[in-house]
Amino acid sequence: MSREIILVQQIAQRIRILRGEKMMLDFDLATLYGVETRTLNQAVKRNADRFPADFMFQLSEQETEMVSQLVMPSAPGHTVPDSSQIVISSGKHRGKRYRPYAFTEQGIAMLSSVLNSERAIKMNIAIMRAFVKLRQMLETNRALARKFSELEQRVGEHDEEIAAIFEAIRQLMAPPEKPRREIGFHA
């Protein structure tokens, strides 16, 4: 396998569906870009006007809990955020859980203008390719599902026809009914 395919697969594993959208979380992006999550989020906050709500949002407590249960240390090519990325332990936030930010595809594209390093640019290109690949795979799956549905429908129609044939055969195989003897007198 080429290095590019492996990279696309590693990126695709980090794409999550949240609120019905394909997203990547800040700590996954920071790992890919080779920066600390804190650094990535600071750069985003300094350029907040470039990240409207449809580009980026902060996870709710419930979403954060769900994501933390999904992050597994044994997953290949995936690093679990360290404690500095999960818990804010300074000041009035002491003991509160860190709620990650989620970036849509457009938000990730905007990150390349905020994180202006050679690695960030190359990684951004790879991430965009991963999103395209994912869309292609989803479209292929939709086409297969459509064909499967058509096949099921065709088989269903044939089942009815086969059932009708079996019923006709059963009627032919049944012994003929003996004519009933008429009751009464004949004139």
Side-chain angles (χ1 to χ4, degrees), residues 125-187:
I125 291 168
I127 291 170
M128 292 301 112
R129 286 181 177 153
F131 271 98
V132 168
K133 188 84 164 165
L134 191 59
R135 259 195 303 282
Q136 290 170 344
M137 288 171 43
L138 288 172
E139 187 55 39
T140 300
N141 287 344
R142 277 192 207 110
L144 286 174
R146 206 170 24 253
K147 287 179 182 180
F148 185 71
S149 178
E150 291 170 5
L151 182 62
E152 263 184 332
Q153 189 176 6
R154 236 183 281 146
V155 169
E157 292 169 2
H158 291 305
D159 282 349
E160 293 171 15
E161 293 169 2
I162 291 170
I165 292 170
F166 277 129
E167 185 58 33
I169 292 172
R170 277 192 201 100
Q171 289 175 1
L172 290 173
M173 289 175 50
E177 290 185 23
K178 294 181 184 176
R180 294 187 178 184
R181 211 173 97 202
E182 292 183 23
I183 301 175
F185 298 101
H186 290 276

